[in-house]
Amino acid sequence: MSLPNRHQVLGDLAACIGFYTRIPVSLSHDGSRPFMATQWAAPCAGALIGLGLSALLWVLLRLGVPIDVAAALTLAGSFVLTGGLHEDGLADTADGFGGGQTRERKLEIMRDSRIGSYGVLALIVSVLVRWAAICSVATASAPLMVACIVAAHAGSRAMIPALMVRIPPARRDGLSASAGVPPVNVAAIAAANGIAFALLAGPAYAICATLLCCVLVLMVGKLAKSQIGGQTGDVAGALQQTGEIGLLVLAATIMI
């Protein structure tokens, strides 16, 4: 599949922004291009989310809001900005993998709109770890703080096309199956974009972040294959959450 020409780039960006965020966009991607062909821009949509959240965090800190409260409000801002898209996937995946005994039952649970104890616990851990990591990142200089948050949101979304290329859909229907598989070159450009945003936080962080993301794609993909025979939209959301947590913790560990 061909890469976007200069007239299609803005449309691809708008398609990803419209999907990954609640930001209203007036542009839409070219209907002749499948949605999966636009996924090279997923990290760019993530970077936009990270930029908005880091700006919110910076403003709150400048206003004298305590770091822990500012970090909590920044997380709340992320839920508003994304609509909790990936948090929903994390909860459904945790419920399915933890509560089902068979492949069919796991997929049935993941499709159920109700949330169970595994999903609640997964969300609690996700929110707590991200909150603690943001508290640490908030103590850095403003440029480094922005770079780390942007890199986490861009990198965590750069992994999604790679997962979809590597692991087939678990269902014949559903979001993942209907969306199709991104071309390998599109997934490669998405990965390159994720690395480019990670470089904003420095070469050392970019190298560690790239290795971490590769490990997470392999681990989540292997787990999904063993649990349900493939990936779903919920699994992709769980991967994004895992990546965001990992990249924020990495920043708090080696950068601050």
Side-chain angles (χ1 to χ4, degrees):
M1 185 172 293
S2 61
L3 297 177
N5 58 42
R6 61 181 181 178
H7 300 295
Q8 294 170 320
V9 167
L10 288 179
D12 287 1
L13 287 169
C16 285
I17 292 170
F19 179 79
Y20 288 105
T21 78
R22 292 294 182 90
I23 300 173
V25 288
S26 58
L27 295 173
S28 61
H29 73 288
D30 187 341
S32 65
R33 286 171 56 75
F35 179 67
M36 281 293 110
T38 72
Q39 292 306 292
W40 63 269
C44 301
L48 181 62
I49 294 169
L51 185 62
L53 295 177
S54 57
L56 172 61
L57 180 58
W58 180 82
V59 169
L60 291 171
L61 294 174
R62 292 286 292 179
L63 290 174
V65 176
I67 285 179
D68 53 352
V69 178
L73 291 174
T74 299
L75 267 179
S78 74
F79 306 148
V80 173
L81 192 55
T82 66
L85 173 67
H86 301 302
E87 283 82 0
D88 181 69
L90 174 65
D92 287 343
T93 300
D95 277 336
F97 288 9
Q101 298 300 317
T102 65
R103 174 184 180 274
E104 291 71 23
R105 179 55 179 156
K106 292 175 191 290
L107 288 170
E108 181 184 350
I109 291 172
M110 292 170 70
R111 181 163 277 177
D112 193 332
S113 60
R114 294 170 296 180
I115 186 170
S117 57
Y118 287 105
V120 170
L121 291 171
L123 289 177
I124 290 173
V125 171
S126 172
V127 170
L128 282 177
V129 176
R130 283 185 289 165
W131 170 79
I134 292 172
C135 286
S136 295
V137 170
T139 64
S141 64
L144 183 57
M145 178 186 76
V146 172
C148 289
I149 294 176
V150 167
H153 283 274
S156 60
R157 288 163 178 84
M159 296 189 294
I160 295 176
L163 175 74
M164 299 185 78
V165 165
R166 184 174 178 273
I167 306 296
R171 296 189 182 99
R172 293 185 178 180
D173 59 347
L175 176 61
S176 181
S178 62
V181 178
V184 174
N185 55 359
V186 169
I189 294 175
N193 285 337
I195 294 171
F197 284 114
L199 283 169
L200 295 175
Y205 177 83
I207 292 171
C208 293
T210 301
L211 293 174
L212 175 62
C213 288
C214 289
V215 170
L216 290 176
V217 169
L218 292 173
M219 289 179 62
V220 172
K222 183 177 181 179
L223 178 63
K225 194 75 179 292
S226 67
Q227 290 282 322
I228 57 174
Q231 48 81 16
T232 66
D234 286 331
V235 172
L239 175 64
Q240 187 281 327
Q241 286 286 281
T242 305
E244 184 181 330
I245 291 168
L247 292 171
L248 285 172
V249 170
L250 178 67
T253 303
I254 72 171
M255 301 298 295
I256 310 304

